Amino acid sequence: MSIDSPAPRPRGRAGTEAAIVESAQRLLLRDGWSALNVQSLAAEAGVDRKLIYRYFGGVDGVVARLARALDVWLGQTLAEAPPSTAASYREFAREALKAYLAALRANPLILRMLAWELSADTPQLRDMERARSAVVQDWMRERRPRLRLPPQGDVVALNAVMLAAVQHLALTAAGRGRFAGLELDAAGWARIEAAIDQLTAAWPD
């Protein structure tokens, strides 16, 4: 479905709810968070504004539904990554970072969500961030059932730094296409992956 043209309003509550959520997605991808309000959402979905309050309690409820769907998508996408063949934690970290970066680059809507979370601080955004973090942490635990965290070094902090780095690069690529003089095109991403290899070589085992 094109994000530029709203779908005809379906009948029934389930169909109407789906149309509202899909319309929110189109608005966010096309116009950004500043364009998302009850009036614009109702117009995009072709519904009465009252239905947004009745079914979702307002725009926040629509965003929460959309965030849950994105968490499901992220979990499924990460789970589709090739099974880990890592024999050490540093190899596992290298695999996981590349898989997470690929997942972020595959979904512009997740990048919109991340950008919003970085630009504001509300209880809803904190809940959304915690839920997505739980998806990533669960996936990483499932991928390394036989690998224990190394006893030396602060692996948790190392993971946080690198996850933040790949997340920021994905966000910057979507907005500007370059970072620190590096063009984030096919050649640039190949260099980023090579840099991940070099950096994770310093991980404790």
PDB file of all heavy atoms in Angstrom, residues 155-165:
ATOM      1  N   VAL A 155      31.255  -5.780  30.030  1.00  0.00           N
ATOM      2  CA  VAL A 155      30.648  -6.129  28.752  1.00  0.00           C
ATOM      3  C   VAL A 155      29.314  -5.410  28.561  1.00  0.00           C
ATOM      4  O   VAL A 155      28.971  -5.010  27.442  1.00  0.00           O
ATOM      5  CB  VAL A 155      30.471  -7.656  28.644  1.00  0.00           C
ATOM      6  CG1 VAL A 155      29.731  -8.018  27.368  1.00  0.00           C
ATOM      7  CG2 VAL A 155      31.819  -8.344  28.652  1.00  0.00           C
ATOM      8  N   VAL A 156      28.557  -5.229  29.639  1.00  0.00           N
ATOM      9  CA  VAL A 156      27.270  -4.538  29.525  1.00  0.00           C
ATOM     10  C   VAL A 156      27.472  -3.115  28.997  1.00  0.00           C
ATOM     11  O   VAL A 156      26.754  -2.649  28.111  1.00  0.00           O
ATOM     12  CB  VAL A 156      26.543  -4.525  30.879  1.00  0.00           C
ATOM     13  CG1 VAL A 156      25.282  -3.663  30.802  1.00  0.00           C
ATOM     14  CG2 VAL A 156      26.170  -5.946  31.295  1.00  0.00           C
ATOM     15  N   ALA A 157      28.473  -2.406  29.534  1.00  0.00           N
ATOM     16  CA  ALA A 157      28.743  -1.044  29.068  1.00  0.00           C
ATOM     17  C   ALA A 157      29.258  -1.047  27.636  1.00  0.00           C
ATOM     18  O   ALA A 157      28.890  -0.175  26.827  1.00  0.00           O
ATOM     19  CB  ALA A 157      29.752  -0.366  29.991  1.00  0.00           C
ATOM     20  N   LEU A 158      30.113  -2.006  27.295  1.00  0.00           N
ATOM     21  CA  LEU A 158      30.595  -2.114  25.921  1.00  0.00           C
ATOM     22  C   LEU A 158      29.430  -2.329  24.951  1.00  0.00           C
ATOM     23  O   LEU A 158      29.358  -1.693  23.886  1.00  0.00           O
ATOM     24  CB  LEU A 158      31.584  -3.275  25.801  1.00  0.00           C
ATOM     25  CG  LEU A 158      32.979  -3.063  26.393  1.00  0.00           C
ATOM     26  CD1 LEU A 158      33.736  -4.379  26.448  1.00  0.00           C
ATOM     27  CD2 LEU A 158      33.756  -2.036  25.593  1.00  0.00           C
ATOM     28  N   ASN A 159      28.526  -3.214  25.315  1.00  0.00           N
ATOM     29  CA  ASN A 159      27.349  -3.456  24.474  1.00  0.00           C
ATOM     30  C   ASN A 159      26.533  -2.181  24.305  1.00  0.00           C
ATOM     31  O   ASN A 159      26.064  -1.865  23.210  1.00  0.00           O
ATOM     32  CB  ASN A 159      26.477  -4.550  25.078  1.00  0.00           C
ATOM     33  CG  ASN A 159      27.088  -5.930  24.962  1.00  0.00           C
ATOM     34  OD1 ASN A 159      28.017  -6.140  24.200  1.00  0.00           O
ATOM     35  ND2 ASN A 159      26.576  -6.874  25.733  1.00  0.00           N
ATOM     36  N   ALA A 160      26.334  -1.449  25.410  1.00  0.00           N
ATOM     37  CA  ALA A 160      25.521  -0.231  25.360  1.00  0.00           C
ATOM     38  C   ALA A 160      26.140   0.803  24.428  1.00  0.00           C
ATOM     39  O   ALA A 160      25.436   1.452  23.634  1.00  0.00           O
ATOM     40  CB  ALA A 160      25.365   0.349  26.763  1.00  0.00           C
ATOM     41  N   VAL A 161      27.468   0.965  24.512  1.00  0.00           N
ATOM     42  CA  VAL A 161      28.150   1.940  23.655  1.00  0.00           C
ATOM     43  C   VAL A 161      27.983   1.570  22.184  1.00  0.00           C
ATOM     44  O   VAL A 161      27.659   2.422  21.336  1.00  0.00           O
ATOM     45  CB  VAL A 161      29.642   2.027  24.024  1.00  0.00           C
ATOM     46  CG1 VAL A 161      30.421   2.816  22.972  1.00  0.00           C
ATOM     47  CG2 VAL A 161      29.806   2.685  25.394  1.00  0.00           C
ATOM     48  N   MET A 162      28.171   0.303  21.861  1.00  0.00           N
ATOM     49  CA  MET A 162      28.107  -0.097  20.465  1.00  0.00           C
ATOM     50  C   MET A 162      26.677  -0.123  19.932  1.00  0.00           C
ATOM     51  O   MET A 162      26.436   0.237  18.771  1.00  0.00           O
ATOM     52  CB  MET A 162      28.772  -1.459  20.292  1.00  0.00           C
ATOM     53  CG  MET A 162      30.286  -1.402  20.407  1.00  0.00           C
ATOM     54  SD  MET A 162      31.040  -0.350  19.131  1.00  0.00           S
ATOM     55  CE  MET A 162      30.736  -1.331  17.666  1.00  0.00           C
ATOM     56  N   LEU A 163      25.731  -0.539  20.765  1.00  0.00           N
ATOM     57  CA  LEU A 163      24.332  -0.493  20.330  1.00  0.00           C
ATOM     58  C   LEU A 163      23.908   0.946  20.062  1.00  0.00           C
ATOM     59  O   LEU A 163      23.200   1.235  19.092  1.00  0.00           O
ATOM     60  CB  LEU A 163      23.425  -1.138  21.377  1.00  0.00           C
ATOM     61  CG  LEU A 163      23.488  -2.666  21.455  1.00  0.00           C
ATOM     62  CD1 LEU A 163      22.741  -3.154  22.700  1.00  0.00           C
ATOM     63  CD2 LEU A 163      22.892  -3.309  20.212  1.00  0.00           C
ATOM     64  N   ALA A 164      24.337   1.862  20.935  1.00  0.00           N
ATOM     65  CA  ALA A 164      24.021   3.286  20.729  1.00  0.00           C
ATOM     66  C   ALA A 164      24.666   3.793  19.446  1.00  0.00           C
ATOM     67  O   ALA A 164      24.065   4.587  18.702  1.00  0.00           O
ATOM     68  CB  ALA A 164      24.491   4.104  21.925  1.00  0.00           C
ATOM     69  N   ALA A 165      25.881   3.332  19.170  1.00  0.00           N
ATOM     70  CA  ALA A 165      26.581   3.788  17.970  1.00  0.00           C
ATOM     71  C   ALA A 165      25.861   3.346  16.699  1.00  0.00           C
ATOM     72  O   ALA A 165      25.640   4.154  15.783  1.00  0.00           O
ATOM     73  CB  ALA A 165      28.019   3.266  17.978  1.00  0.00           C
TER      74      ALA A 165
END
